[in-house]
Amino acid sequence: MLTLLGIPGALRQGSTNRLLLAEARRAFGEAIQTEADLRLPLYDGDLEDSEGIPPEVQTLADQIARADAVVIATPEYNKAPPGVLKNALDWVSRTKGGPWRDKPVAIISAAGGRAGGERSQFALRLMLTPFRPRLLTGPEVLVADSGNAFDADGRLIDPRYQKSLTDLMQALRQEAHRG
Ligand SMILES: Cc1cc2nc3c(=O)[nH]c(=O)nc-3n(C[C@H](O)[C@H](O)[C@H](O)COP(=O)(O)O)c2cc1C
């Protein structure tokens, strides 16, 4: 059984990226599902020196290490990923073992604007490259006007989004099976 880790880049409960992540999980198919919590302290070298890696950061690093595949759903804040995601990447980079290395990773985004978070996704790709994961290049899933993209049951309304998400998640599944 594969383990899929979902990382929601937005903290709010009603986040459309959380809805998109739930759709991604369904599209991935049968798996042990885990979810990251990015409510971490802000990275602070003094905190790291005095107390080491915070337990919630280590939990996240362990979740990444144990996952066969990771999907990150990012909003777009001012044309970039939110600070909570960068903060998480910086903290995890301070843990031992390089958990991202060779990990199959898919990025998806939901945003209020017309481009569906395209620039945010592109920036997140650059942010992940130092850790050398196996980043899928497509198909791209960029959900525009995300406040109106889901029905009352939290399902994607536009079948084209559903199709590209299914294709991406099946590609992620194949990568996970390659080990
Ligand atoms: C600080 C901030 C900046 C934002 N900047 C952008 C932006 O650059 N592009 C965009 O498409 N939407 C932008 N939005 C709107 C978000 O895409 C929208 O709130 C979206 O629903 C956030 O994702 P969520 O539903 O997962 O919380 C911004 C929202 C906030 C709060």
Side-chain angles (χ1 to χ4, degrees):
M1 180 79 85
L2 295 172
T3 297
L4 176 67
L5 171 64
I7 303 184
L11 300 180
R12 73 188 186 100
Q13 269 311 313
S15 157
T16 54
N17 281 278
R18 283 182 191 280
L19 296 178
L20 185 59
L21 208 48
E23 286 284 55
R25 286 213 181 85
R26 288 187 278 267
F28 188 84
E30 199 176 8
I32 298 165
Q33 304 275 359
T34 54
E35 182 159 317
D37 182 357
L38 300 192
R39 286 182 195 278
L40 308 172
L42 287 176
Y43 177 76
D44 174 348
D46 291 338
L47 174 66
E48 185 184 11
D49 287 346
S50 60
E51 294 178 34
I53 300 294
E56 54 272 61
V57 172
Q58 192 58 53
T59 296
L60 175 59
D62 292 344
Q63 283 179 310
I64 297 165
R66 287 194 196 113
D68 297 298
V70 180
V71 53
I72 307 174
T74 184
E76 181 168 85
Y77 288 175
N78 302 304
K79 308 301 176 193
V84 290
L85 260 176
K86 181 71 168 90
N87 185 53
L89 293 179
D90 290 338
W91 264 125
V92 169
S93 77
R94 306 296 292 166
T95 64
K96 291 197 169 63
W100 288 113
R101 185 69 187 268
D102 293 327
K103 191 71 60 183
V105 178
I107 298 172
I108 55 181
S109 58
R114 278 177 300 171
E118 189 171 26
R119 284 164 72 172
S120 175
Q121 266 201 39
F122 191 64
L124 182 57
R125 274 178 199 285
L126 295 181
M127 282 158 51
L128 281 163
T129 48
F131 314 124
R132 298 171 66 182
R134 274 151 56 200
L135 261 181
L136 272 71
T137 52
E140 289 181 317
V141 178
L142 303 147
V143 177
D145 187 18
S146 67
N148 295 309
F150 297 88
D151 67 18
D153 297 324
R155 306 305 303 261
L156 276 167
I157 294 168
D158 189 331
R160 288 170 298 184
Y161 285 147
Q162 189 62 62
K163 167 84 171 71
S164 52
L165 183 61
T166 300
D167 289 351
L168 179 68
M169 296 312 287
Q170 287 306 310
L172 182 64
R173 190 174 189 93
Q174 272 183 12
E175 275 304 308
H177 275 305
R178 284 208 308 135

